Amino acid sequence: MPEKRLEKILLGRTEIEQKIVELGSQISKDYEGKELLLICVLKGAVIFLADLMRHLTVPAEIDFMAVSSYGASTESSGVVRILKDLDCSIENKHCLIVEDIIDSGLTLKYLEENLLSRHPASIKIVALLDKPERRKVAIQPDYCGFKIPDEFVVGYGLDFSEQYRGLPDLCVLA
Ligand code: IMP
Ligand code: MG
């Protein structure tokens, strides 16, 4: 292990890559003939977005949103705030929210409702990771990479206090 605060590798880079190939082909099939707007939730989902979009065969634009629900802790505050909004209107667009992980679901629930009020043609969610045990509100990703146990994970874009985002594998924090 490169860092002593990491306990183990939960998902290795090869496993993640294979799953993203599958997600990319499923999403491309489902959106055939349509144009897609990928809405990346900063910052954790940037690496997932970059990898996923290279496996899409449908035309896709990207935009970014930043919301805060966590401070420098591993527990959700339940408070969601928009720190950076989208650059463009999503009216009549097919939107796919790209999220790193769904934990309590509070962030996505808020985002989905907020975006729905802007009259998109459709809204779906792709999440690389899902911790279903931790859910506080009813929300399901339309596409999910991996269901994982209730452990705090870092790497592949995910952080703990802004650290570890650059790790190529997904690791469990000690
Ligand atoms: P939720 O609102 O509780 O679903 O939290 C979603 C956000 O919390 C994600 O976008 C992540 O930024 C963060 N998060 C939740 N679980 C983890 C984790 O295990 N590692 C790193 N970030 C996490
Ligand atoms: Mg985070």
Side-chain angles (χ1 to χ4, degrees), residues 49-168:
L49 170 80
D51 283 346
L52 180 66
M53 68 184 297
R54 285 179 286 179
H55 291 287
L56 296 178
T57 54
V58 289
E61 293 181 10
I62 60 173
D63 205 343
F64 297 88
M65 224 169 152
V67 294
S68 79
S69 73
Y70 286 23
S73 108
T74 57
E75 280 295 317
S76 178
S77 63
V79 178
V80 180
R81 215 157 40 100
I82 294 183
L83 304 177
K84 183 223 170 288
D85 208 340
L86 298 171
D87 292 338
C88 298
S89 160
I90 60 168
E91 203 172 335
N92 297 322
K93 292 187 182 167
H94 292 287
C95 302
L96 182 61
I97 302 175
V98 181
E99 178 63 300
D100 51 359
I101 185 166
I102 311 182
D103 187 34
S104 70
L106 289 164
T107 308
L108 268 181
K109 186 85 187 163
Y110 171 84
L111 256 186
E112 194 184 50
E113 276 168 15
N114 182 290
L115 294 175
L116 272 171
S117 73
R118 306 182 195 193
H119 310 294
S122 66
I123 286 206
K124 284 191 180 185
I125 297 165
V126 57
L128 179 66
L129 308 164
D130 187 3
K131 284 198 254 186
E133 287 168 50
R134 302 252 311 165
R135 205 68 95 249
K136 286 185 188 152
V137 287
I139 192 148
Q140 296 285 349
D142 298 278
Y143 307 94
C144 173
F146 302 93
K147 289 195 170 152
I148 62 166
D150 180 10
E151 289 183 295
F152 200 84
V153 290
V154 294
Y156 198 76
L158 287 92
D159 75 305
F160 173 67
S161 284
E162 297 302 323
Q163 296 297 304
Y164 309 109
R165 292 193 196 275
L167 294 176

Side-chain angles (χ1 to χ4, degrees), residues 19-77:
K19 183 62 76 177
I20 290 175
V21 171
E22 283 171 31
L23 286 171
S25 93
Q26 185 62 52
I27 292 167
S28 300
K29 220 162 97 190
D30 294 352
Y31 285 91
E32 212 180 309
K34 293 178 180 149
E35 284 176 24
L36 192 53
L37 175 65
L38 301 172
I39 298 177
C40 175
V41 186
L42 294 171
K43 303 168 189 173
V46 284
I47 294 179
F48 179 41
L49 170 80
D51 283 346
L52 180 66
M53 68 184 297
R54 285 179 286 179
H55 291 287
L56 296 178
T57 54
V58 289
E61 293 181 10
I62 60 173
D63 205 343
F64 297 88
M65 224 169 152
V67 294
S68 79
S69 73
Y70 286 23
S73 108
T74 57
E75 280 295 317
S76 178
S77 63

